Amino acid sequence: SDVCSSDLVFAGLVIVFSGVVALGTKPQDSDYWKTAETFGAKCLTEIRGEVTHVVANQVRPSSFLPRSH
């Protein structure tokens, strides 16, 4: 298929996915990873200096509340 400039809207982005890929699944096999690369992003499995974006699962505010005794 032809690649046009609109297909590369994520060009220059370096993305790490955290908590959005099912356990036991290779991140590279996920739809998130494949879609990001289709749009021009580079995806990594760990955070390094070149990472520009982290896509993370939603953090529940209740996880930050102290436990009652």
Side-chain angles (χ1 to χ4, degrees), residues 44-65:
L44 301 175
T45 57
E46 60 188 34
I47 295 177
R48 298 194 297 237
E50 65 187 300
V51 172
T52 60
H53 293 76
V54 176
V55 177
N57 194 356
Q58 182 177 8
V59 176
R60 295 178 311 200
S62 62
S63 65
F64 295 102
L65 296 175

Side-chain angles (χ1 to χ4, degrees), residues 4-65:
C4 62
S5 61
S6 65
D7 289 338
L8 301 177
V9 294
F10 289 173
L13 300 185
V14 182
I15 301 173
V16 169
F17 296 98
S18 176
V20 296
V21 177
L23 291 176
T25 302
K26 290 182 181 180
Q28 301 88 334
D29 293 336
S30 74
D31 288 339
Y32 299 111
W33 186 293
K34 291 176 183 178
T35 300
E37 286 188 335
T38 297
F39 285 96
K42 176 180 177 182
C43 299
L44 301 175
T45 57
E46 60 188 34
I47 295 177
R48 298 194 297 237
E50 65 187 300
V51 172
T52 60
H53 293 76
V54 176
V55 177
N57 194 356
Q58 182 177 8
V59 176
R60 295 178 311 200
S62 62
S63 65
F64 295 102
L65 296 175

